[in-house]
Amino acid sequence: ANEWQKEHESYELKWAGERDAEEYKKQLARERRESLNLRNAEGRRIRDNEHEMKRNDMNKEHESYELKWAGERDAEEYKKQLARERRESLALRNVEGVRIRDLEAQMKANDFHNEHESYELKWAGERDADEYKKQLARERRESFELRNAEGRHARDVEATMKANEWQKEHESYELKWASERDAEEYEKQLARERRE
C-alpha cells in the first residue's frame, strides 16, 4: 500500500510538473506575443512620427517657396510700377515742353504783329502832316516802352517757366532715386527673410 501510495504521489508530482511546464510555455508564448505586439506598436508609432516629420518638412519647404515666389512677384510688380511712373513723368515733361514752345511761338507772333503795326503807323505818319508825325513819334515812343515792358514780362515768364521745369525735373529725379532706394531696401528685406 505504501508503494502504491508513493507511486501515485510520484505520478501526481510528474503530472503537476508537466502541467507547470505547459503553463510556463503558455506564459512564455503570451509574453512573446505581447512583446511582439508592443514592438509592432512602437514601430508604427515611430513610422507615424517619421511620416509626420517628413510632411511638416515638406509643408515648410513649400511655404518657403511660396514666400520666395510672392517676394519675386512683388519685386516684379514694383519694377513695373516704377517703369509706369517714369513713362508718365516723361510724358508730362513732353506735354510741358510742347506748351512752352507754343507759348514762345505765340509771343513771337505777337511781337511780329506789333512790329508790323508799328511800320504801318510809320508809313501812315509819313503821308500825314508834321503834327501827325509828331503824334506818331509820341506813339512810337510809347509803343517802344510798351514793348520793353512786354519783353521784360516775357523774359520773366520764360525764366519762371524754366525754373518750374527744372524744379519738376529735380522732383522727378528725387522720386526716381527714392523709388530705387525703396526697391533696393525691399530686395534686401526679401534676402533677409529668405535667410531666416
Side-chain angles (χ1 to χ4, degrees):
N2 288 334
E3 290 180 0
W4 182 84
Q5 182 68 28
K6 289 179 181 178
E7 186 176 358
H8 179 72
E9 290 176 355
S10 175
Y11 279 114
E12 286 289 337
L13 289 172
K14 176 184 177 184
W15 294 332
E18 291 175 351
R19 285 195 301 271
D20 290 341
E22 188 66 26
E23 184 61 33
Y24 184 68
K25 290 179 181 178
K26 291 179 180 179
Q27 182 180 350
L28 289 177
R30 283 195 303 272
E31 290 175 355
R32 280 196 297 272
R33 285 195 302 274
E34 291 172 357
S35 175
L36 181 61
N37 290 335
L38 183 61
R39 286 199 302 274
N40 288 338
E42 183 67 14
R44 282 194 301 273
R45 188 184 67 80
I46 292 173
R47 287 192 298 274
D48 290 343
N49 287 340
E50 290 177 348
H51 179 71
E52 183 66 23
M53 289 169 61
K54 287 181 180 178
R55 188 173 62 184
N56 290 336
D57 290 340
M58 289 178 63
N59 287 338
K60 289 179 181 179
E61 185 176 4
H62 180 71
E63 290 174 357
S64 175
Y65 277 112
E66 285 289 338
L67 289 173
K68 174 187 175 185
W69 296 330
E72 290 174 350
R73 286 194 301 271
D74 291 341
E76 188 65 25
E77 182 60 31
Y78 188 68
K79 289 179 181 178
K80 291 180 181 178
Q81 179 181 349
L82 291 180
R84 285 195 300 270
E85 291 175 355
R86 283 195 292 270
R87 288 195 299 272
E88 291 171 358
S89 175
L90 180 61
L92 181 63
R93 288 200 300 272
N94 288 339
V95 170
E96 184 68 12
V98 170
R99 189 186 68 82
I100 292 172
R101 288 193 294 274
D102 290 344
L103 182 60
E104 290 175 346
Q106 183 65 36
M107 290 167 60
K108 288 179 180 179
N110 290 338
D111 289 343
F112 175 79
H113 181 69
N114 290 335
E115 188 175 1
H116 180 70
E117 286 183 348
S118 177
Y119 278 115
E120 287 288 339
L121 290 172
K122 175 184 176 183
W123 297 328
E126 290 175 352
R127 291 190 300 266
D128 291 340
D130 291 341
E131 184 60 31
Y132 191 59
K133 290 181 180 179
K134 293 178 182 179
Q135 180 180 351
L136 287 180
R138 288 194 299 270
E139 290 177 357
R140 282 197 298 272
R141 287 194 299 271
E142 293 171 356
S143 176
F144 181 74
E145 292 173 355
L146 179 62
R147 287 201 303 274
N148 285 339
E150 288 179 349
R152 284 194 299 273
H153 177 69
R155 288 190 296 273
D156 292 341
V157 169
E158 185 177 0
T160 300
M161 290 190 300
K162 287 182 178 179
N164 290 337
E165 182 181 4
W166 181 87
Q167 178 68 21
K168 290 179 180 179
E169 186 174 2
H170 178 72
E171 291 175 353
S172 174
Y173 278 112
E174 287 289 335
L175 289 172
K176 174 186 174 185
W177 297 330
S179 299
E180 290 175 349
R181 288 194 300 270
D182 290 343
E184 184 177 356
E185 181 60 30
Y186 188 73
E187 290 176 353
K188 289 180 180 179
Q189 180 181 351
L190 291 178
R192 286 196 298 270
E193 289 177 354
R194 286 196 293 270
R195 289 195 299 270
E196 293 173 357

